Amino acid sequence: MLPILVMNGILLAIAILLIIAERFLVTYGKCKITINKENILTVEGGNSLLSYFSENKIFIPSACGGKATCGYCKVEVLSGGGHILPTEEVFINREDKLKGIRLSCQVKVKNDIEVLISDDLLEAKEYKTKVLRIEDLTRDIKYVVMKLEEPQEINFKPGQYIQFRIPESEEFRAYSIASIPSVKTEIELIVRLVPGGLCSSYVHEVLDVHDQITVTGPYGDFYLREDSLREIICIGGGCGMAPIRSIIFHLREKGMPRKITYFFGARSKSDLFYTKELQSIETQFPNFKYIPVLSEPKPEDKWTGETGFVTQAVERHMYSNGNTEAYLCGPPPMIDAAIKVLTRKGVHEIHIYYDKF
Ligand SMILES: Cc1cc2nc3c(=O)[nH]c(=O)nc-3n(C[C@H](O)[C@H](O)[C@H](O)COP(=O)(O)OP(=O)(O)OC[C@H]3O[C@@H](n4cnc5c(N)ncnc54)[C@H](O)[C@@H]3O)c2cc1C
Ligand code: FES
């Protein structure tokens, strides 16, 4: 028994020494990172691709600080990235693997390396902002307005998100932009408190008017397809209101060119917000319909509207239609159930766009 323990101890000590040696003694010299076959970064090797991107103001999304738990920092590695690591496997499917997609936080630069980064990601910038307003929307959801100070304007598509940096830390969290793209000088966020959560607790308990906050973005492929004429179904829950608000308010500004039905799920009446604004759009545009759905209405709510899960209301109200596209945002079980209902109703999966959180 004892020799096995001793052997294990020795192996562990060797492994630790190797890690320390690699960290402090091994140098990889100058390495070239070629981006999109034209831009070359020359770096002193040894760190992750993600860290070199960040040092060079290329803002690849990353919500876990490089711990390989968010899966956002994907880029296409054409050569020099080495083998895919076990930490990446869970985020990289077969199709991604064939394309050479990797988590940039897990790819250590040890030699010259070639990568492809989409133009959208290369456009993401860092913004210094100042908090203008914070309001309670419900008991656990806050509305935050931030003015952009440097640069002073942002271009984004309705539905996209930014990453909010918790001051004095390297922690980032994604928040969908709730405002409309035509207002370029401010961004509005809708943040739900996650008990024990780092960033949402910061926003709810520490953040104050006039605070300076750094955000990066915009990011994401969940955005309104403006070149389509299809009818739209939106399904949201909780803070999933944020990107859908941006989409609907943007379409209102354009004169509501398409038919939209918005199903919004909440527990009870006190969890509903923006009801008046959405109802006033209904009055203005007959082709917009807002259907709030309560899963646990309280007796004092005197609720006469839709009840049950939001997806049950979609099942009841939606007729089969192959000419519809859907925008879904909310918790993963809601999105999974909504995809099932929509595909049963004839919506093609390629026309279902979603952000789960
Ligand atoms: C594309 C995208 C868009 C998003 N948009 C929005 C949005 O518009 N609005 C919004 O509110 N959110 C949004 N989110 C979610 C947001 O990014 C954060 O994930 C969320 O705010 C929680 O972050 P946090 O730092 O508060 O929690 P984290 O610290 O990341 O914690 C996450 C989980 O771990 C648990 N936990 C943390 N610390 C402890 C501890 N000490 N003990 C026990 N449990 C613990 C928490 O309870 C929680 O369940 C979005 C996410 C994505 C991916
Ligand atoms: S930064 Fe989160 S997985 Fe890479």
Side-chain angles (χ1 to χ4, degrees):
M1 188 67 186
L2 194 62
I4 293 176
L5 282 177
V6 172
M7 276 299 286
N8 283 345
I10 292 171
L11 287 174
L12 186 67
I14 292 173
I16 292 170
L17 280 174
L18 283 174
I19 291 170
I20 294 172
E22 187 176 19
R23 183 126 190 226
F24 294 104
L25 304 178
V26 179
T27 57
Y28 298 99
K30 297 259 184 262
C31 302
K32 282 186 184 148
I33 304 173
T34 307
I35 300 169
N36 296 356
K37 303 199 189 267
E38 50 187 22
N39 295 330
I40 297 178
L41 307 176
T42 304
V43 301
E44 201 62 51
N47 291 326
S48 73
L49 255 184
L50 184 68
S51 61
Y52 294 122
F53 290 151
S54 157
E55 277 169 21
N56 287 279
K57 304 273 173 208
I58 297 172
F59 299 105
I60 303 293
S62 71
C64 67
K67 295 188 200 87
T69 54
C70 73
Y72 292 176
C73 61
K74 288 178 185 173
V75 294
E76 198 172 328
V77 177
L78 299 178
S79 66
H83 292 297
I84 196 160
L85 302 184
T87 42
E88 296 173 79
E89 293 281 355
V90 62
F91 297 106
I92 313 280
N93 62 26
R94 236 167 64 95
E95 212 178 301
D96 281 350
K97 249 184 217 171
L98 292 174
K99 278 204 224 151
I101 303 288
R102 301 285 306 270
L103 295 185
S104 58
C105 68
Q106 299 300 296
V107 177
K108 192 164 178 180
V109 178
K110 301 176 178 174
N111 41 254
D112 292 353
I113 188 163
E114 276 186 291
V115 296
L116 289 183
I117 302 178
S118 73
D119 289 345
D120 280 0
L121 279 185
L122 287 177
E123 301 234 322
K125 295 191 185 113
E126 184 177 75
Y127 294 84
K128 307 272 176 235
T129 77
K130 188 185 260 185
V131 177
L132 285 186
R133 233 163 69 221
I134 305 179
E135 285 169 18
D136 287 325
L137 292 174
T138 69
R139 71 197 142 80
D140 63 353
I141 297 185
K142 281 196 192 286
Y143 165 72
V144 180
V145 184
M146 300 156 92
K147 184 174 172 51
L148 304 180
E149 301 210 305
E150 183 58 47
Q152 292 179 341
E153 292 197 348
I154 184 169
N155 288 313
F156 66 94
K157 297 176 190 152
Q160 287 193 302
Y161 70 93
I162 51 91
Q163 290 208 139
F164 178 111
R165 188 163 100 200
I166 306 174
E168 320 291 332
S169 83
E170 286 308 310
E171 296 278 351
F172 283 90
R173 293 293 182 273
Y175 292 104
S176 305
I177 307 173
S179 42
I180 48 177
S182 61
V183 178
K184 294 178 185 293
T185 53
E186 287 173 14
I187 48 174
E188 297 167 16
L189 306 179
I190 291 174
V191 180
R192 187 176 71 86
L193 177 66
V194 175
L198 207 60
C199 190
S200 60
S201 303
Y202 181 86
V203 170
H204 276 251
E205 287 151 24
V206 181
L207 190 70
D208 209 345
V209 172
H210 304 311
D211 282 1
Q212 290 191 312
I213 294 293
T214 300
V215 304
T216 60
Y219 301 114
D221 50 15
F222 177 73
Y223 57 79
L224 176 69
R225 270 47 183 184
E226 301 231 38
D227 51 357
S228 155
L229 293 174
R230 283 185 205 89
E231 195 177 301
I232 296 176
I233 295 277
C234 293
I235 306 175
C239 54
M241 170 72 85
I244 294 180
R245 177 183 189 256
S246 176
I247 289 173
I248 290 171
F249 282 37
H250 171 75
L251 286 169
R252 174 181 68 175
E253 196 180 56
K254 301 269 164 207
M256 203 56 82
R258 295 158 68 181
K259 183 173 176 202
I260 308 187
T261 311
Y262 179 19
F263 295 89
F264 180 72
R267 263 199 199 157
S268 66
K269 212 168 169 180
S270 61
D271 298 310
L272 293 176
F273 53 103
Y274 293 134
T275 308
K276 277 196 190 126
E277 286 90 333
L278 291 162
Q279 285 172 342
S280 93
I281 303 178
E282 266 189 318
T283 320
Q284 210 183 341
F285 297 100
N287 55 340
F288 173 71
K289 185 129 194 67
Y290 174 55
I291 305 181
V293 186
L294 298 188
S295 59
E296 295 169 30
K298 295 184 183 143
E300 62 269 29
D301 289 344
K302 298 190 173 42
W303 183 250
T304 54
E306 289 290 323
T307 53
F309 289 126
V310 66
T311 44
Q312 293 171 320
V314 177
E315 188 95 57
R316 287 193 290 269
H317 282 264
M318 194 188 161
Y319 53 88
S320 293
N321 183 346
N323 191 32
T324 299
E325 67 192 29
Y327 295 88
L328 325 175
C329 195
M334 187 204 90
I335 304 284
D336 295 341
I339 293 173
K340 281 192 190 143
V341 173
L342 290 167
T343 47
R344 249 199 330 270
K345 293 275 184 181
V347 184
H348 202 294
E349 257 188 79
I350 59 165
H351 297 142
I352 302 177
Y353 309 100
Y354 56 84
D355 256 349
K356 290 183 184 180
F357 50 81

